[in-house]
Amino acid sequence: PAIAILRSLRDVPPAAFSKPPGAASPSPSPSFDDYATLRSLGMEPPPLAPRKPAGEAGLEEAVPPAASAHHRADASFYTSAIAACLRDGSFESLNASIGLLALAEKAGMAEGPAYGAAMQAQVKLGRRLQAWRLLRRARARHVPLITLELNIGLGAGARCGQLPPALALLREMRAAARAPADTAGGAGPHLVAPDVGTYDALFFPLASAGQFDDLLRLFDEMQEDGLAPIESHYVLALRACAERKEGNRAAAILLRMQARGMRYGRAAAVAMLACNRARSFETALDIFHAVRTDAAGRRTQQQNPPQQQNPLQPQNAPEQENPPRKDTGQGGGGGGTDVAGAGDPILARAPPSASEALHNPLRSVAVFNAAVEAMRRQGMMEEAVELVVTMRERFGVPPDHATFGTALAGCREAGEPALVTALLEALFVEAEARERDAREDARVVAAGGQPRPWMQPLLPSDALHSELIGSFGRFGEPRRALRLFAQLLSSALPLHNRVFNRTLVALSHAGLAREHLADQIVAVGHERAVWGEPMSWSPTLATFDTRPFLTGAPMLAGLHYWLRLLGLRHGAGGEAPPPPVLALFACDGSRKEGEADDRLRLLSQELDELGIDHGVADPDEADAANAANAAGCVGPPVAPGLILLLSPAAAVEAGEDLLAVAERRQSYAPSRGGRGDAGYDDEPWLAEEGREAPRRQPVRGGALDLSQLDLETLLAGSAPADVLDESLDRLEPFLAPRELWVENARR
């Protein structure tokens, strides 16, 4: 509309205005306000000349000169026209607003609101850098800007790589606000005090850039300026504390947020995460207990609100006792429990909405996950398992994959097979509950209602399967572990290397690390690139990067696979002679203390058993430097001191021997290649009825026929042997859809 007004006023003389019968005649020299008024009275607009492309050149012709005999444009007109283009929002109008600002600058009539609207138009067009430049141009012209206009430019600059100058401008604004009015000088009128929006424009870019020190500094300065942070600012500050591992500071920020009466459901989870990362597990549990106490207090107030005396009731009448609570079938635990919401039909409902999770921390699954992690690190696995098992029943918060995964990892680390049994039962109960929820949602939708809030699928990634496989392997149930591995492999979903690593570890616990099935698992993982591209080949150099493989059986299984490829490529009948340099990358500095030595020791022992001469690379050797550079295909180059150089002839010979062994395995010859009972020191658990296995005796092929199992037979499937197998098979429908699974894998 603004562009149409400009063109019509340029091309049509004032006398051309038409009017309906009875309307007053317009003045000989109508202003822009007169023209708008005539249109509002229902007068037809004059015919327009052919439209020209919007832009600075076309608009310069459209705007009448300031000294026009009929019309005179002032600063408010330019501001109104730019604002009209911004409200229109079309690409043509947004571009036209930039041209109008240039014309206003040329006429010396560009004011702060015009710059603010033009900056907003640039942001809508995705041109944040141009919006930042407009802000700098306005300041260079000494145009007074209010805080809102400064905030638009600050936010645009902070999101387009201009964080340092944006922070410098904020410091200038704070200094100008604190300076006395009589000493402000010429800069005083052009800088105003920052407000909440000023800091808001900078918090998110600082968090995205990983500048958590600056974020926390601004968070403190904001409160020094007498400004109250909003909820998102508290959450960002707590995340910064988590990244900096400042648990006590996070707890103090959460306490301040709670004292202001703000919603702190999501913030409580982030504060507990910060405490866990700072290894302040007791503080994290203190927050969780405080959250439970607060929720119990609110529940008591809701159930027993203060009541006024009923004037119709005699003053001396005895008070009526509260009737006993009916058993809804949802609660548990009975009286005397210290768990807020136990047996309460108000809290024991599933699942919480997004607003509930934000307002009430006890309705946020992230709070429970952080509590379970703190209990795991404190060795409180019985309490952690009890919390997981009763989450849905007592609190109405369904546990998710992270809840079960964290608890399973803690039970495996603590060597508690009985607790894993309880977690498995809870997992199957949760799966059945979600099946019922899905059926109920389908009935509600069919009746025209709204389904319950969306929840993350029970199995959105392979993380929980990995923990289950690791637990089964740890406690002597490799057949269950392989059943879950086959379930994932047959789904054709992208898998993480942790699934393959944990499956190989499970086979190792059973003394099956060198059976044919282990070889096939490594081969399939390499074909799917779950370990990346750990092998590089050239006429002068062949490398194998063991870093993506877990220490122990997965690393050694990968070494055997690489040696077999060496024998196939460079052995008798191979395509070329072996390269003069063969290098193994043992580890890097990212692993925990002592693990680098363990990996070097294991690799050295295995190479000695295979009869391969080797040695630690000299950092000054050119071969070591070239090999380290070749490791960039998987990750950062490793230090030359963590590289093993192998004898090419001996390595190829060993690879040919391993190929021959693999061929014999495929014919199902009796295998004696087990690793013994190293690392296996627990009895099998969840054993089938009538099956016994002596302590410290690995379960070999004679008991489970795993030594004669290949991948094809495994993927073909087998009938469930017991109720546990049936329950494991029922997990398959809960795998997330491929789109969500791929997104989680990418993240």
Side-chain angles (χ1 to χ4, degrees), residues 417 472 474-477 680-687 691 693-697 699:
F472 282 125
R474 171 71 173 82
F475 298 114
E477 290 283 353
Y680 179 83
D681 52 8
D682 289 278
E683 294 182 34
W685 62 290
L686 293 172
R691 196 193 86 185
R695 188 172 179 81
R696 299 190 62 81
Q697 177 63 35
V699 182

Side-chain angles (χ1 to χ4, degrees), residues 476-478 507 509-512 680 684 691 693 697-704 706:
E477 290 283 353
L507 292 178
H509 284 311
L512 302 167
Y680 179 83
R691 196 193 86 185
Q697 177 63 35
V699 182
R700 295 188 178 275
L704 298 177
L706 294 182

